[in-house]
Amino acid sequence: MSKITFPEGFTWGIASSSYQVEGAWNEDGKGISIWDTFVHTPGKIVNDETGDVSIDHYHRYKEDAAMMAELNLRHYRFSTAWTRILPTGTGPVNPKGLAFYDRLIDTLLKHKIEPYLCLFHWDLPQTLQDKGGWPNRETAYAFADYARVVAKHFGDRLNVIFTHNEPWVAAFVGHFLGMHAPGTRDLGAALRAAHHILLSHGLASEAIRAGAKKPIKVGITLNLNPVYPATESKKDQEAAERVDAIMNRITLDPLLKGTTPIEEFKIVKPFIGSLIKPGDLEKIRSLDLLGVNYYSRAVIKHSAKVPVVNVEQVNPEGNEYSGMWEIFPKGLYALLTRIQKDYAPLCELMITENGIPVPDGLDFDGRVRDERRIRYLKNHIYQVHRAIQDGVPLKAYFHWSFMDNFEWALGYGQRFGLVYVDFKTQKRTVKDSGRWFAEVIRENGFEL
Ligand code: FCB
């Protein structure tokens, strides 16, 4: 057996998001978000499940933080719910919302766990949605005001603030595919949302730097999928390039190069009009830290299935799959080395999410033997190590997720946690993978 060891100071962490774990959807003055609205609309979520209670982290954050510390976890990425802090998106601040995140952050710090705060993990205030949501440019300015409030209040205890989690998903799964809130199916709306979310990142970066009392690194987290053509045919290769432009380059180019693929992209041009105003791209290109979320790759063929873009995702036979995606560890290496080669980012680089849904359960002795997750993690973290060896200056790896939680449109059926949660009793049980990961952290590596 050989052991792989990570560079000294490599950061190991775990991630979650407000709507997926907090519950307490209407407590202590919290406003309604588009996810509250969406889950309460019949037919949108598997079994019409909701995050109303979820894993009740709002009330159990103390025991959850203690459990992190027991598992050697010292870096925690979470998001604040905009609607707890500014219940109507703009205007009056809700002191009880600030107080919750004060309690959470102070508890984490007491356990020597560093908080990595993310401002937006998809739960847009419903009042802003009613004024047009992300397709409306004004939302970007409202977001910057929210960022200022957060940076001013919590900045003394933070080293990092992420503005957004996965702008592509918020824009396209929410506005084009309609599978996430707000549930529209309109390519123009998705493209406008994507641009305004990125613009809001730039505006918020300025606001954070101006609002905080000490230097704070500003980051963003992107879902990136390496794209492979289904066959060697020219049509499939061009289809793969289109998907790469609209899924990966649409966020990477503005953030890291100050350009955008959508302006030169003939098929989407009619949908964007004068969307991108002079100066926008300069504002967006403001980044201290790039977070990469990796789950799978996309294998693409030419097809009329998705209108305008004319592409279809295929699932190659004979490969391994989880409840949601193809399992493709090598894609993580391909992605990281591609980012380095094509963009040579000057900012820090980290993995902010990676994980697998497994239908875990308790064995008769109360243990959760999730060997499949351990195998997934070994194979993926090995690729991370390879990328570092080959010159990608990666600083950190955050696992998704700490505990099983509400997996958006798929409800509670997809368990991603290192900790098993009985959703009826809220009992938490550390899975075998949780103990394995704790060892990886202690050893800063593992036996292959
Ligand atoms: C990512 C999301 C995260 C979680 C994982 C499985 O796209 O950022 O909230 O749902 O997928």
Side-chain angles (χ1 to χ4, degrees), residues 9 25 49 71 79 102 132 148 167 175 239 252 268 298 328 353 362 367 379 394 413 417 431:
W25 73 287
E49 288 165 343
L71 293 175
S79 74
D102 276 332
R148 185 173 302 113
H175 298 79
L252 283 170
V268 301
F328 194 70
E353 283 182 28
L362 297 170
R367 225 170 105 182
N379 290 338
L394 200 84
K431 302 181 190 178

Side-chain angles (χ1 to χ4, degrees), residues 16-17 20 77 121-122 165-166 169 180 221 223 293 295 324-325 353-357 400-401 405-408 414 416:
S16 78
S17 86
Q20 291 177 280
R77 171 179 166 253
H121 203 122
W122 308 346
N165 176 72
E166 303 190 347
V169 174
H180 280 184
T221 277
N223 59 297
N293 293 359
Y295 289 93
M324 285 166 72
W325 296 298
E353 283 182 28
N354 174 237
I356 179 178
W400 181 273
S401 183
N405 60 52
F406 178 76
E407 180 46 39
W408 306 113
Q414 305 291 332
F416 276 91

